[in-house]
């Protein structure tokens, strides 16, 4: 039965949210000049809008959790096997759900703004409501005069897919859905998208204060309330970006946390510009300079978020990104969204440009403003450098619209295109962040500057020299980056100690800068000085489909055969499944049941029913044994997805000084029947030893049995099984082939397979004359994997630096918000 009501209810909520967002925008426009009646009406309408958004979200969650696969969104992103926490991820896997997540955060932030500042309520909420108009239009899913407006998550499957089954059976409902993308089946995907979209949503607030201020003629007063929101936005967006990096590190198989993917770049760019805007805004608060630059950078950060949205959701990136969404026909709407806000911004900036105060004094190199502007310029240059390459598909599209072909391809050499230029600019950034802090807190001249910098400079050189010698750093760029980063840490530590003694609330900048410098050191070591432990020193090429570096850096491991890799001996133990009761268990000992989440484990004559966790995943057990006698086990995983094929994810052993990063490149196709050798027959008696596939085996006894696979034998049937003990590399195995005579006439043979030792054995005959048994066995290739093991030194400095960056932002936000509240409570609304 198709559940029509739920979909119609959800669509009704969508229409209500769209209409109320337009009404709220109109009401706040009318109330922009402190009209209390219109502003109050707009606030009430925005509350209704927010309730409608909650209705949309609740309805869609209801459809997903109840497995209503007649709806296209539910069918495309969910399945019955997914645990609840991954069903949550299903909500925002598709474009419609991610737009909903963005709308939700905008609504939450809008309600906070309505209740936090009476003076700025109408102009700021006017801009917030306009963003909601465009976002809700993205999920309308209506057609007006052959023009599609939005893509609704409440479309029925038959309305989207033109499949023959719907012509014969319009009410057909699939038994199950396609499920969640295997790469998104990670706990970080439960928290990363909400954080990232909160970051997206917060970028509109400083933008709204800026544009709202220009609308009502408060050309400079918007800075004070906008600054803490800009800092909050930069913190959340930065955390969201780094959560994505950590997800990539744990889930993807490229061996790192950042690959300069266009989608990664598209989010990184506005974050850099926003951080630059924050510094310029702070400079304006201190000296009254660079107000125009603050306006441009704040506006640019939000416009670049919209540009990132266009890049990732319009389909323009094509196959150049593993993260981008497929085009749902929304590219035109996204472009209009971008152009409307860009046009409005340019209009109001030009309109108020002459009225915006500016200073005509020449900035001295010994002023704090000079160093802030230099740092902001470096941040903007970093953003622009990435933007140029990331936008290549856009250049091609524009050229095609103009009637000629450009055919620019994304750079293949990522190091030269992105990593090297960003590294060089980061060196300057580290130096500026260390030096500029001294100008911020003290009036400087040449003599004072030399006095202040001498100690940090000497300490930095000593520490850097020791690290260079111990870590054997030889690359000139890495040498300079290390010295610059250590200098930034030491210089900002000195500032922190001095500032914290008087007022810890003033130390946010120095803490954040220390965090950034630590991140640079962590990136330097983990990316530049990773050690490949699985180097292939043989001349074998694992696959002609693999690039040269994959064949060079990956090693073949046969099951239970140790291989020495650098200081570790590694042993592949086989394929495992994850169970709730026993953790990882041997897949070869499991039998399927009617319930796909249940399995039966056979251990000798004992059977246990276990609950599978993520049954579609299989795990490769790899043991590491160090020369010091330490041992640990990693479980890189694979999911055989019907749509994506084999999807591999790594496993990581985390230590303070280094991570052990392990991932499997390929393994034998489980769907392919093994290539068995010709049977070899042998006659043995009880107690005899013999060889099977070079393993010592002993026929220990013969046992009569009364049932086979739970089915009792009849009185005319006779069955016996052989108990054969086989000595493996690390344990003994038991093979139990069965010999059956039915109705005293028909002979049946049930072989037994020992997967780890790559053989199967059967009883061919029982010879009572000489008390012997005729056995036959066949062998095949042992189970194997091709895997890569990488040691990533000091990667934890990256995550520790991230933590300090967040702490620094929190301290700074607390300070700026306290200042804003004090001024607001005094009646200074700006």
């Amino acid at each position: 039965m198709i559940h029509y009501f739920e979909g119609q209810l959800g669509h009704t909520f969508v229409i209500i949210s769209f209409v109320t967002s337009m009404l709220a925008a109109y009401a706040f426009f009318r109330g922009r000049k402190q009209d209390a009646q219109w502003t109050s009406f707009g606030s009430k309408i925005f509350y209704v809008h927010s309730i409608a958004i909650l209705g949309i979200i609740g309805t869609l969650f209801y459809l997903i959790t109840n497995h209503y696969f007649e709806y296209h969104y539910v069918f495309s992103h969910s399945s019955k096997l997914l645990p609840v926490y991954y069903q949550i991820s299903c909500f925002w896997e598709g474009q419609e759900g991610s737009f909903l997540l963005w709308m939700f955060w905008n609504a939450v932030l809008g309600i906070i703004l309505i209740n936090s500042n009476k003076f700025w309520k109408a102009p700021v909420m006017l801009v917030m409501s306009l963003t909601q108009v465009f976002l809700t239009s993205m999920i309308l899913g209506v057609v007006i005069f052959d023009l599609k407006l939005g893509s609704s998550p409440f479309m029925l499957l038959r309305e989207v897919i033109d499949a023959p089954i719907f012509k014969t059976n319009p009410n057909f409902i699939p038994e199950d859905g396609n499920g969640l993308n295997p790469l998104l089946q990670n706990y970080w995907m439960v928290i990363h998208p909400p954080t990232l979209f909160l970051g997206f949503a917060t970028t509109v607030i400083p933008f709204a204060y800026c544009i709202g201020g220009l609308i009502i003629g408060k050309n400079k007063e918007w800075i004070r309330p906008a600054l803490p929101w800009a800092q909050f936005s930069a913190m959340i967006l930065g955390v969201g970006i780094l959560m994505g990096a950590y997800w990539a590190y744990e889930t993807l198989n490229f061996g790192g946390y950042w690959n300069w993917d266009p989608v990664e770049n598209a989010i990184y760019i506005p974050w850099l510009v926003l951080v630059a805007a924050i510094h310029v805004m702070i400079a304006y608060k201190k000296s009254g300079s660079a107000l125009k630059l603050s306006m441009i950078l704040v506006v640019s950060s939000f416009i670049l978020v919209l540009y990132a949205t266009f890049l990732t959701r319009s389909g323009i990136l094509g196959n150049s990104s593993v993260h981008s969404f497929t085009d749902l026909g929304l590219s035109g709407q996204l472009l209009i969204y971008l152009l409307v806000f860009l046009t409005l911004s340019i209009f109001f900036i030009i309109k108020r440009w002459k009225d915006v105060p500016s200073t005509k004094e020449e900035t001295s190199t010994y002023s704090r403003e000079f160093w802030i502007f230099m740092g902001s310029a470096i941040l903007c240059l970093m953003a622009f450098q990435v933007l140029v390459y990331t936008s290549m598909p856009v250049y091609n599209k524009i050229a095609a619209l103009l009637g000629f072909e450009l055919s620019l391809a994304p750079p293949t050499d990522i190091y030269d295109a992105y990593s090297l230029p960003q590294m060089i600019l980061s060196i300057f950034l580290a130096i500026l962040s260390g030096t500029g802090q001294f100008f911020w807190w003290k009036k400087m001249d040449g003599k004072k500057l030399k006095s202040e910098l001498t100690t940090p400079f000497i300490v930095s050189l000593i520490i850097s020299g020791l690290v260079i010698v111990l870590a054997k750093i030889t690359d000139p760029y890495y040498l300079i980056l290390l010295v610059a980063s250590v200098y930034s840490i030491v210089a900002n530590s000195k500032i922190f100690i001095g500032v914290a003694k008087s007022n810890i609330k003033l130390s946010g900048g120095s803490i954040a800068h220390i965090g950034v410098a630590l991140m640079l050191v962590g990136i330097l070591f983990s990316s530049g000085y990773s050690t490949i432990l699985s180097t292939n020193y043989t001349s074998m090429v694992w696959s002609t489909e693999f690039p040269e570096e994959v064949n060079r850096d990956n090693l073949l491991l046969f099951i239970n055969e140790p291989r020495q890799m650098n200081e570790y001996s590694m042993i592949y133990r086989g394929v495992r499944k994850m169970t709730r009761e026993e953790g990882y268990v041997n897949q070869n000992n499991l039998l399927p049941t009617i319930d796909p989440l249940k399995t039966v484990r056979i251990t000798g004559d004992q059977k246990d029913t276990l609950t599978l966790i993520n049954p579609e995943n299989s795990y490769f057990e790899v043991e590491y044994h160090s020369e010091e006698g330490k041992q640990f086990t990693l479980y890189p995983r694979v999911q055989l997805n019907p749509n994506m094929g084999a999807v591999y994810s790594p496993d990581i052993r985390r230590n303070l000084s280094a991570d052990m990063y392990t991932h499997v490149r390929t393994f034998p196709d489980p769907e392919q029947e093994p290539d068995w050798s010709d049977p070899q027959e042998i006659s043995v008696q009880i107690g005899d030893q013999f060889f099977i596939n070079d393993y010592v085996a002993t026929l220990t006894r013969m046992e009569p049995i009364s049932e086979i696979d739970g089915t009792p034998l009849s009185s005319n049937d006779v069955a016996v099984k052989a108990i054969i003990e086989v000595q493996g590399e690390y344990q003994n195995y038991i093979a139990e082939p069965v010999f059956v005579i039915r109705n005293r006439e028909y002979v049946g043979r049930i072989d037994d397979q020992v997967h780890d030792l790559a053989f199967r054995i059967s009883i061919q005959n029982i010879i009572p004359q000489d008390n012997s048994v005729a056995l036959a066995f066949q062998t095949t290739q042992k189970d194997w994997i091709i895997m890569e093991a990488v040691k990533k030194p000091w990667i934890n400095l990256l995550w520790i630096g991230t933590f300090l960056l967040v702490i620094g932002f929190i301290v700074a936000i607390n300070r700026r918000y306290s200042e804003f509240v004090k001024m607001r409570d005094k009646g200074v609304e700006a």
Side-chain angles (χ1 to χ4, degrees):
M1 180 184 72
I2 295 180
H3 302 83
Y4 291 104
F5 172 76
E6 290 84 350
Q8 292 168 351
L9 178 65
H11 190 63
T12 301
F13 280 129
V14 172
I15 294 173
I16 292 172
S17 68
F18 179 66
V19 172
T20 52
S21 64
M22 290 193 295
L23 283 174
Y26 177 75
F28 286 124
F29 175 76
R30 293 295 301 271
R32 68 191 185 281
K33 295 181 179 179
Q34 302 303 307
D35 187 314
Q37 188 173 358
W38 276 108
T39 302
S40 176
F41 177 70
S43 301
K44 292 173 183 176
I45 291 296
F46 195 86
Y47 275 108
V48 175
H49 166 76
S50 303
I51 293 169
I53 289 175
L54 290 177
I56 302 169
I57 293 171
T59 304
L60 188 55
F61 265 126
Y62 182 81
L63 297 181
I64 292 172
T65 55
N66 285 276
H67 309 303
Y68 288 172
F69 297 119
E70 62 265 41
Y71 287 94
H72 179 257
Y73 195 88
V74 180
F75 172 78
S76 300
H77 304 291
S78 181
S79 72
K80 293 178 179 177
L81 291 180
L82 288 174
V84 174
Y85 47 90
Y86 287 155
Q87 289 180 22
I88 295 173
S89 297
C90 294
F91 176 85
W92 45 70
E93 185 193 16
Q95 287 217 46
E96 300 91 336
S98 60
F99 278 125
L100 261 175
L101 189 57
W102 194 347
M103 290 161 53
F104 167 76
W105 284 125
N106 267 9
V108 170
L109 294 170
I111 291 171
I112 293 172
L113 290 169
I114 285 172
N115 291 281
S116 62
N117 195 319
K118 181 180 177 181
F119 178 82
W120 287 99
K121 184 187 299 185
V124 169
M125 288 306 300
L126 165 60
V127 180
M128 292 290 291
S129 299
L130 278 177
T131 63
Q132 290 295 78
V133 171
F134 281 95
L135 287 175
T136 51
S137 73
M138 297 296 173
I139 62 168
L140 265 179
V142 298
V143 178
I144 303 174
F145 301 115
D146 295 327
L147 179 66
K148 181 184 177 184
L149 193 63
S151 176
S152 172
F154 302 107
M155 298 286 286
L156 290 172
L157 188 61
R158 70 187 184 196
E159 296 173 331
V160 180
I161 298 178
D162 186 20
I165 185 66
F166 294 119
K167 295 179 180 178
T168 57
N169 182 11
N171 294 325
F172 169 76
I173 301 175
E175 287 295 321
D176 205 351
N178 286 335
L180 186 66
N181 184 322
L183 296 175
L184 303 183
Q185 294 181 27
N186 179 282
Y187 59 94
W188 283 107
M189 280 297 108
V190 181
I191 57 177
H192 161 58
T195 305
L196 190 63
F197 279 99
L198 175 58
F200 276 13
T202 52
T203 58
V204 74
I205 299 179
F207 172 82
Y209 272 109
C210 177
I211 298 300
L214 295 177
I215 290 173
I216 64 174
K218 297 292 183 179
N219 302 326
K220 62 180 181 178
E221 291 83 358
W222 63 271
I223 288 280
R224 188 187 301 279
L227 181 55
W229 280 111
Q231 293 171 321
F232 179 73
S233 180
M235 180 186 73
I236 297 297
L237 192 58
V239 169
I241 292 170
L242 285 159
M243 280 183 175
Y246 200 82
W247 161 77
Y249 182 57
E250 281 199 341
T251 305
L252 301 183
N253 242 15
F254 67 84
Y257 38 81
W258 194 266
N259 202 33
W260 298 111
D261 182 274
V263 171
E264 298 172 348
N265 298 347
I267 303 168
Y268 173 67
I269 293 165
W271 182 77
L272 288 173
V273 175
L274 181 59
V275 173
I278 290 168
H279 286 79
V280 176
M281 291 166 75
I282 293 172
Y284 170 75
K285 282 187 90 277
K286 281 287 185 180
S287 64
S289 60
L291 179 57
K292 291 179 179 179
L293 183 58
S294 298
M295 290 164 41
I296 292 171
L297 292 179
V298 166
V299 167
S300 296
S301 64
F302 178 66
I303 297 300
L304 285 168
V305 166
L306 299 185
Y307 181 66
T309 305
F310 172 74
L311 279 180
T312 57
R313 297 166 186 277
S314 64
I316 199 169
L317 292 177
N319 297 323
S320 63
S321 172
V322 298
H323 301 288
S324 61
F325 291 93
T326 55
D327 185 14
L328 295 180
L330 303 179
S331 55
Q333 275 181 256
L334 290 166
L335 187 59
I336 292 171
Y337 187 12
L338 170 63
L339 292 177
V340 165
F341 278 92
L342 178 60
T343 303
L344 286 173
S345 302
I346 293 173
F347 172 78
F348 283 110
I349 289 175
I350 291 174
K351 182 179 179 182
R352 299 293 187 185
W353 189 259
K354 292 182 179 179
D355 301 326
V356 176
S358 59
T359 57
K360 296 182 180 180
E361 296 180 10
E362 186 176 343
T363 303
S364 167
T365 53
Y366 290 103
S367 68
R368 56 193 171 198
E369 290 77 21
F370 172 82
W371 291 88
I372 286 179
F373 297 155
M374 288 290 291
S376 298
I378 294 294
L379 288 166
C380 291
L381 191 57
M382 292 172 74
F384 179 74
Q385 190 273 324
V386 176
L387 180 65
V388 169
Y389 283 116
T390 305
S391 298
M392 282 186 173
V394 178
Y395 308 152
N396 293 334
K397 192 71 173 179
I398 294 173
L401 291 174
L402 296 176
F404 63 94
E405 188 174 344
L406 204 54
S407 300
L408 292 174
T412 55
D413 190 337
I414 290 177
Y415 179 80
D416 285 344
Y418 292 113
S419 299
L420 182 58
Q422 292 292 300
M423 188 193 312
I424 294 171
L425 291 170
S426 295
I427 290 169
F428 287 106
L429 192 65
I431 295 171
L432 289 168
S433 69
T435 306
Q437 282 284 300
F438 291 99
F439 291 90
W440 184 255
W441 296 107
K442 299 179 181 180
K443 288 186 177 181
M444 285 289 173
D445 54 29
K447 187 176 181 180
K448 287 182 180 179
L449 180 63
K450 181 179 179 181
S451 174
E452 290 289 344
L453 295 184
T454 298
T455 301
F457 183 71
I458 294 173
V459 172
S460 301
L461 287 179
I462 294 172
I463 295 174
S464 300
L466 290 172
V467 174
I468 289 167
V469 171
L470 294 174
K472 300 178 181 177
I473 299 175
T474 56
D475 185 282
Y477 289 113
Y478 290 157
L479 283 169
I480 299 171
L481 179 61
L482 177 66
V483 174
S485 300
V486 172
Y487 165 73
S488 181
I489 294 170
V490 174
N492 279 285
S493 297
K494 181 181 179 182
I495 292 293
F496 170 77
I497 293 170
V499 171
K501 288 178 180 178
S502 59
N503 188 351
I504 192 70
K505 289 184 177 181
L506 304 177
S507 63
S510 56
I511 296 172
H513 290 164
I514 292 170
V516 171
L518 279 173
M519 290 170 67
L520 291 175
V521 176
I523 292 169
L524 185 157
F525 279 104
S526 60
S527 298
Y529 287 90
S530 293
T531 304
I532 305 292
L533 302 181
S534 52
T535 302
N536 177 18
Y537 292 108
T538 72
S539 58
M540 295 181 65
V541 175
W542 307 130
S543 174
T544 55
E545 297 180 359
F546 291 161
E548 180 183 349
E549 63 270 16
V550 172
N551 285 303
R552 181 193 65 219
D553 297 337
N554 288 257
L555 201 60
L556 174 67
L557 292 181
F558 285 104
I559 191 169
N560 291 328
E561 293 185 9
R563 291 292 298 269
Q564 192 68 33
M565 298 186 188
N566 211 301
E567 69 263 36
Y568 291 96
S569 174
M570 302 183 190
I571 307 171
Y572 168 51
R573 293 299 193 187
V575 181
R576 306 293 185 249
K577 287 289 187 180
M578 173 68 85
T579 65
R580 193 177 305 281
E581 296 84 1
E582 300 289 338
Y584 295 101
V585 296
N586 193 332
Q587 178 178 267
N588 297 325
N589 297 335
L590 302 179
L591 294 176
T593 65
I594 297 175
D595 185 350
L597 294 175
K598 299 290 183 181
T599 186
V600 174
R601 180 179 60 176
I602 300 176
T603 309
D605 295 328
Q606 184 179 354
K607 295 182 178 180
D608 301 314
T609 300
L610 303 175
T611 304
L612 292 170
I613 300 175
N614 298 330
E616 62 273 22
N617 292 337
S618 297
Y619 301 84
F620 305 97
E621 182 176 337
V622 181
E623 286 183 5
Y624 282 76
H625 298 262
S626 69
E627 294 174 346
E628 296 82 16
K630 296 180 180 179
Q631 175 184 334
F632 58 90
T633 304
L634 293 177
Y635 295 90
R637 71 176 171 92
V638 66
Q639 183 178 132
L640 299 177
N641 187 275
N643 298 320
M644 302 176 64
V647 180
Y648 298 93
S649 292
D651 196 15
I652 303 164
R653 166 79 171 186
R654 295 170 179 81
N655 291 307
L656 181 62
S657 60
D659 279 3
M660 186 63 67
Y661 182 94
T662 301
H663 66 89
V664 170
R665 187 70 61 179
T666 188
F667 74 115
D669 185 355
E671 301 296 326
Q672 185 175 343
E673 181 67 22
D675 185 14
W676 293 103
S677 66
D678 294 331
Q680 299 181 47
E681 294 193 11
I682 185 172
S683 180
V684 297
Q685 296 180 337
I686 294 175
D688 285 354
Q689 288 188 338
F690 55 99
F691 288 94
I692 305 177
N693 205 14
D694 294 331
Y695 296 100
V696 177
T698 304
L699 175 62
T700 59
R701 62 187 184 277
M702 303 289 292
E703 289 184 359
I705 57 177
S706 58
E707 61 178 39
I708 297 176
D709 293 334
T711 304
L713 299 173
S714 69
S715 57
N716 294 326
D717 298 338
V718 177
V720 63
K721 68 177 179 181
I723 309 298
I724 302 169
E725 186 173 344
V726 188
Q727 299 175 24
E729 290 95 339
Y730 295 94
Q731 69 178 77
N732 290 347
Y733 297 83
I734 301 296
E736 298 182 345
V738 175
F739 188 78
V740 184
I741 301 176
R742 291 193 178 274
N743 295 322
R744 302 181 181 180
E745 182 177 357
Y746 300 104
V747 175
R749 300 175 180 88
I750 304 174
D751 61 28
D752 195 11
Q753 182 176 346
V754 179
H755 294 84
D756 287 0
L757 306 183
F759 75 83
R760 63 184 182 187
I761 189 167
S762 62
I763 302 173
Q764 295 299 302
N765 203 358
I766 297 175
I767 308 169
Q769 293 87 343
D770 54 4
N771 294 322
S772 64
V773 180
L775 303 175
F777 62 87
Q778 295 173 277
T779 62
T780 187
Q781 188 178 59
K782 293 180 70 174
D783 189 16
W784 54 268
I785 57 172
I786 293 176
M787 58 159 277
E788 183 177 33
V790 185
K791 190 174 184 179
K792 294 184 173 292
W794 300 111
I795 191 172
N796 285 318
L797 290 179
L798 170 59
W799 315 126
I800 294 170
T802 301
F803 177 74
L804 287 178
L805 177 64
V806 172
I807 295 297
F809 268 121
I810 291 172
V811 173
I813 292 166
N814 179 57
R815 175 194 173 189
R816 297 299 174 182
Y817 185 72
S818 299
E819 291 176 355
F820 163 70
V821 170
K822 285 180 181 178
M823 297 301 292
R824 184 194 63 187
D825 293 345
K826 289 179 179 179
V828 181
E829 297 296 349

